[in-house]
Amino acid sequence: MRFRIVSLVLTLFAFPALAHHQFHAQAIAIGGDAPSAGAVALAPAGGEGNASVEHYDANGIRFDQAVTSVHGTDDGHTAVTTAVVTLRNIDILGRIHIDEMSARLTGRQARGTAEAEITIDNLRFKNVVVDGRHIIVRPDAARLNKARTFAGFRDGDDDTLALSTTVIAAGDQTLVVPGIGTMYFGEVFVKPGERSITMLRIEFEPQHSMRHLTIGTLDTNGTDMFPP
């Protein structure tokens, strides 16, 4: 009887060591009602993936370069997942210009925890110009990064946090451009163990062949897997 109890205890302590992390991350430079480009996904085992696009020109959308990357490592104690996107010299229908746009998502999940702690940084909108007028877009993820898990997101003191939020100050998240549509900056979606950000989303007016466009999208999550 004593042998059976000792064996059971050893099994319970050894079982967590058999777990492995199932990675997931993706980065997409552009997608929607324009040909997708610069899309890369992380393998379930982690590792690294990269994509690069130069001189994109489709449906009136142009940019000089887009670089995306995903990366995942697991040292047996903590799994780290990273997704990065950068676009340069973006032009939308000859009326909207952005010199540079970038973002990074990083998830860190300690073995045995319910979900990863996910942060957003390296946010950048450089020189946004609409019809010759400079638009100030200042992304700031400090408020979101205080609640790095979904549990913290829901239980925090900030009642303004919701499942769908933004890294742009209130009142500056959207911009209506007559003849084009509505621009949405820095949209963030949060759910258990997962966080995503789209740096720019456009809903076009009905006269355009395009209806929806996203530029600079990142998503990351992952989970510990245990054998049956």
Side-chain angles (χ1 to χ4, degrees):
M1 181 69 177
R2 180 180 178 185
F3 174 76
R4 292 179 61 187
I5 294 174
V6 171
S7 297
L8 178 60
V9 171
L10 289 175
T11 300
L12 290 174
F13 275 96
F15 185 74
L18 299 176
H20 71 277
H21 191 77
Q22 184 90 351
F23 287 93
H24 174 268
Q26 62 182 5
I28 306 171
I30 188 170
D33 293 331
S36 295
V40 62
L42 185 62
E48 185 175 357
N50 300 280
S52 179
V53 180
E54 294 188 351
H55 308 302
Y56 180 95
D57 187 349
N59 296 17
I61 313 300
R62 301 178 178 86
F63 55 77
D64 283 352
Q65 183 186 46
V67 178
T68 55
S69 65
V70 290
H71 189 264
T73 60
D74 184 359
D75 63 4
H77 302 285
T78 303
V80 180
T81 308
T82 305
V84 181
V85 62
T86 302
L87 294 98
R88 297 183 176 90
N89 198 23
I90 306 158
D91 183 89
I92 301 168
L93 300 177
R95 295 179 56 192
I96 300 169
H97 182 85
I98 304 172
D99 277 356
E100 186 174 311
M101 176 192 305
S102 65
R104 178 173 60 187
L105 278 180
T106 304
R108 295 178 174 85
Q109 184 166 4
R111 183 60 45 80
T113 57
E115 59 177 317
E117 295 187 351
I118 302 174
T119 57
I120 305 172
D121 64 2
N122 198 35
L123 296 170
R124 183 177 177 85
F125 283 100
K126 180 181 178 182
N127 194 29
V128 179
V129 179
V130 178
D131 291 336
R133 179 167 59 100
H134 288 266
I135 306 297
I136 304 300
V137 182
R138 294 193 180 99
D140 184 358
R143 180 174 62 97
L144 273 171
N145 289 341
K146 291 179 181 178
R148 300 183 177 188
T149 64
F150 182 79
F153 190 84
R154 299 294 290 175
D155 298 337
D157 295 330
D158 192 342
D159 293 332
T160 65
L161 292 178
L163 291 177
S164 179
T165 185
T166 180
V167 292
I168 307 299
D172 295 330
Q173 304 101 322
T174 63
L175 178 67
V176 176
V177 183
I180 291 184
T182 303
M183 303 171 66
Y184 297 85
F185 298 101
E187 293 182 318
V188 177
F189 180 73
V190 181
K191 67 180 184 179
E194 183 174 357
R195 200 160 291 197
S196 66
I197 182 168
T198 295
M199 292 298 285
L200 176 61
R201 179 172 64 89
I202 302 176
E203 290 186 359
F204 290 92
E205 293 180 356
Q207 70 270 21
H208 293 281
S209 60
M210 296 182 293
R211 298 302 304 276
H212 303 280
L213 184 72
T214 57
I215 301 177
T217 297
L218 301 174
D219 181 87
T220 184
N221 70 349
T223 185
D224 285 344
M225 302 292 291
F226 294 88

